Amino acid sequence: MGLMVWLTTVIPMRWGDLPRLERPWTDRVLRPTAALGNGWSLLAVSRAPGSVRRLPSAARLFLFRRALRPAGGWWLRDRVEGIVPVRTGCYVTRAERDARGGVRLHLAGGGPQVLGVDHVLAATGYRLDLGALAFLSPGLREQVRRVPGSAAPRLSDCFESSLPGLYFTGSLAAATFGPVMRFGAGSAYAACRITRHTLRTASAR
C-alpha cells in the first residue's frame, strides 16, 4: 500500500464539530441543532429553503458561499490526523509523469517544492454551471434562465426551470433554495415539491 499525502490550500485544516446529543440548554439556545450543523443561520437555511428562495439573488449567493465553509467531516478526523501526512498552504502548479510511471507534482507554498507520488486524486471543488451538463443540448441549455450572478438555473418554488417540465435539484438548486440543497438533508423538501407539482400538472392535462 502506497503512502497517501493530503495537500490543501487551507491554513489551518478545519474539521466539522463532533455532534453532541446532550448539550446544556444555554448552548442549545445559542446554537440550536440543525441538519447542517449547530447555529441559527444553519437552522434557518435547513428548515426554510422556500424562504431562502424569496431573498434577493445576491443574498442567496452569499448564503450559499458562506453558510458552510470548507471543512473535513468530523468522522474523518481520527482517520487522518497522525495517520495521513497533511500539507497545508500549498497548491499544485504543475504535474508531470516521471520515469517510473508515477507523477511528479510541482508545488508552491511552504515545504518541499517537488513531490513524487504514484497516484493523484484531485478533489478541487467545482462551480455551479448549467453549461457543463453536456447531456442537455446546447440549444436547450441556452433557453434556461440563470440566477443573476450565477451560472445556475433560476427555479420556481417547485424546482421547475424556465422551460416547463425541466426540473433541477441537488447542487444546481442551491443558488435558489440555499446550501441545504447541496446535501441529502435537502432531498425530502425537493422530492415533495417536485412530486406534487408533476402530479398536479399531469392531472390538469
Side-chain angles (χ1 to χ4, degrees), residues 150-203:
S150 168
R154 189 170 69 185
L155 304 175
S156 71
D157 61 354
C158 57
F159 291 78
E160 190 175 32
S161 71
S162 56
L163 293 181
L166 180 60
Y167 301 82
F168 292 91
T169 186
S171 290
L172 280 174
T176 298
F177 291 93
V180 71
M181 290 301 148
R182 292 159 44 194
F183 303 91
S187 59
Y189 179 86
C192 290
R193 289 279 176 160
I194 295 172
T195 300
R196 282 200 296 264
H197 187 259
T198 54
L199 291 175
R200 189 164 60 245
T201 302
S203 63

